[in-house]
Amino acid sequence: MIVLVLLMTTLMLAQLGLDAFVHDLTFAGRLTGAALLVVSFATLVGAAAALDHWIRQSFPYSGLVALIGTFAALLTNAMLLVQTLKDGEFATYPALFGVLTVGSAYAVFAVWRTSVAIPAPKRVAAALIVSSVIAIANFGYQNLYQPNQPQTQPLITVSMGKPVLSKDRTAFAVPVDITLRNHSNVGFYVLGTEFHAMGKQVPLSPKDRLRQQWRNDAEQWRKSSEWNPLSRREMHQPGELVEAKPWMPYGNWVESNDTYATRVVVQLPMNTPYDQVAFYATASLARKDRLALQPPLNFVAYSWGREKVPGWLKSQQKIGRDSLIYRARVHENNALDQRTRKPRFVTVYWQFGTHGASVFSSIERKGEENRTPNTEADRETSSRYGLIDLITGPVERTLWDIKSQR
């Protein structure tokens, strides 16, 4: 039974270790893979030593080698059991590692009972303790610290160029430069981007506005994504969407210490009723060390089409907000989670309406892509997979100087 437990442990650790060493997205994950390969070799040698210890006894220290192999199997199987109980979604793996853990514990006890000869027992004990501490520290760093370390994120900047009049002076164009700068040490997948311009009418009151009017303005904040200032003379009207578009290809990425820049142009007639125009740029990103995006990021549905879409998207249509939906398969950042967790898909929602536009993403298990958003669950998922929503704006400009040109 001892040999069987050690051989099964060898097989499992060799498979996991090789996958992790080759495919994990972080250095710590690949280091864990290398450690699993080393332990799988130790358990294989331990199985051979156990046979020699009980049958041939040709090697004087075969009992010690068998003891070290069984102890390594016990420690590793126990840590994998904890991890699969914590994050695994299949009952098979916790059951398997539970059996291997119990079997390894029995193997350690059985080998120890044979009065194994241990030369320099203090040194051997010290070596086992040090290796155990290192293994547990690496396990904790990989599975406890990394998923909870502070988020790092790029920066979006929006700047306006000089407006240009058309030849017949009946229209003008405002160039807008959008720059995405990633000064962090990790790369990011760009799941979706959105730029939109809002036109505002801001007439001036002939006299000072009273406190009750300020309260009325403040009450509008909960009804819109815009927060117009409480002004003594300016009478801000709800903004209206002038233009909206993506500004970076879906499924693209920006590497660490990289920059992406583009320019969009917003055109308006000279007789436009707006007094101000406000520009917004947003992006939905995912850290490349937390997940692997399987291309392509495909379009799957319109919220107003015949395709099946979530009910909460249908309800948003009643308030004038439509959506485009994109989806792609994502993979875990380490081999163990990839094996023990159900398949995940990222869904990108590109939304637009009379009073603005936005883009955001969610990651769900296969078959649950259309569930109603849950704030707490979404926050945990965003932290695990490194989802980040960047928002820049409003960057505002008055249009009086342009409209006054003849």
Side-chain angles (χ1 to χ4, degrees), residues 147-149 151 290 378-387:
N148 297 287
Q149 60 182 312
Q151 291 280 12
R290 299 285 183 87
D378 290 345
R379 187 182 298 113
E380 181 180 349
T381 300
S382 297
S383 176
R384 180 183 183 90
Y385 293 102
L387 297 183

Side-chain angles (χ1 to χ4, degrees), residues 51-371:
L51 286 174
D52 183 79
H53 181 64
W54 263 280
I55 300 175
R56 298 183 59 185
Q57 298 181 347
S58 60
F59 181 60
Y61 298 117
S62 59
L64 174 61
V65 175
L67 181 62
I68 294 175
T70 55
F71 178 79
L74 172 60
L75 180 63
T76 307
N77 285 325
M79 289 192 295
L80 291 175
L81 173 61
V82 171
Q83 178 63 14
T84 52
L85 287 174
K86 174 177 175 286
D87 284 334
E89 295 175 339
F90 297 106
T92 306
Y93 285 94
L96 176 59
F97 286 117
V99 170
L100 290 177
T101 300
V102 173
S104 300
Y106 171 78
V108 171
F109 177 72
V111 175
W112 179 261
R113 285 185 59 189
T114 61
S115 300
V116 174
I118 303 178
K122 291 184 178 179
R123 293 182 181 180
V124 174
L128 291 177
I129 292 172
V130 170
S131 61
S132 300
V133 169
I134 293 175
I136 294 172
N138 180 70
F139 176 81
Y141 175 78
Q142 171 74 4
N143 298 287
L144 300 177
Y145 172 73
Q146 273 200 319
N148 297 287
Q149 60 182 312
Q151 291 280 12
T152 180
Q153 61 185 39
L155 176 67
I156 298 177
T157 57
V158 174
S159 59
M160 287 175 284
K162 183 179 179 180
V164 179
L165 291 175
S166 63
K167 289 185 178 180
D168 58 5
R169 293 183 174 271
T170 60
F172 63 91
V174 182
V176 182
D177 294 313
I178 306 172
T179 304
L180 176 63
R181 293 184 176 90
N182 182 17
H183 294 306
S184 65
N185 59 355
V186 297
F188 288 84
Y189 290 108
V190 180
L191 304 177
T193 60
E194 169 273 323
F195 163 82
H196 71 275
M198 302 290 290
K200 297 182 179 182
Q201 297 185 47
V202 191
L204 297 178
S205 173
K207 59 182 180 180
D208 288 351
R209 306 173 73 239
L210 301 178
R211 181 182 182 186
Q212 184 56 46
Q213 293 172 302
W214 291 357
R215 289 178 174 175
N216 293 338
D217 289 346
E219 289 175 358
Q220 302 305 311
W221 291 356
R222 65 183 179 85
K223 302 178 182 179
S224 172
S225 59
E226 300 179 63
W227 299 296
N228 292 318
L230 305 180
S231 174
R232 187 171 292 274
R233 288 298 180 97
E234 293 179 339
M235 297 183 295
H236 288 266
Q237 307 298 318
E240 297 179 343
L241 185 66
V242 173
E243 184 170 318
K245 62 186 297 185
W247 52 270
M248 193 172 181
Y250 295 114
N252 209 333
W253 59 84
V254 54
E255 297 292 357
S256 60
N257 299 309
D258 198 5
T259 299
Y260 177 87
T262 188
R263 168 174 284 192
V264 297
V265 177
V266 178
Q267 300 185 72
L268 288 169
M270 289 295 290
N271 62 352
T272 180
Y274 304 124
D275 300 303
Q276 295 180 4
V277 63
F279 302 110
Y280 299 79
T282 60
S284 181
L285 311 177
R287 290 177 53 145
K288 292 183 69 177
D289 63 341
R290 299 285 183 87
L291 59 79
L293 181 67
Q294 179 178 309
L297 184 57
N298 287 322
F299 169 81
V300 294
Y302 304 101
S303 63
W304 62 91
R306 296 182 178 180
E307 302 90 346
K308 182 180 178 180
V309 299
W312 61 271
L313 280 184
K314 288 291 187 181
S315 64
Q316 286 194 346
Q317 288 190 269
K318 299 177 182 179
I319 58 174
R321 184 173 290 270
D322 296 315
S323 300
L324 306 177
I325 307 173
Y326 301 81
R327 186 167 294 144
R329 174 80 158 87
V330 296
H331 298 278
E332 305 287 339
N333 72 337
N334 66 85
L336 182 61
D337 284 348
Q338 182 65 23
R339 284 172 174 264
T340 60
R341 289 172 64 83
K342 296 181 180 179
R344 254 65 176 182
F345 289 81
V346 61
T347 305
V348 183
Y349 301 94
W350 204 95
Q351 299 190 316
F352 60 95
T354 306
H355 298 296
S358 63
V359 62
F360 67 96
S361 306
S362 66
I363 294 179
E364 303 294 343
R365 292 188 297 189
K366 185 177 182 180
E368 298 181 357
E369 300 91 348
N370 293 333
R371 73 167 182 85

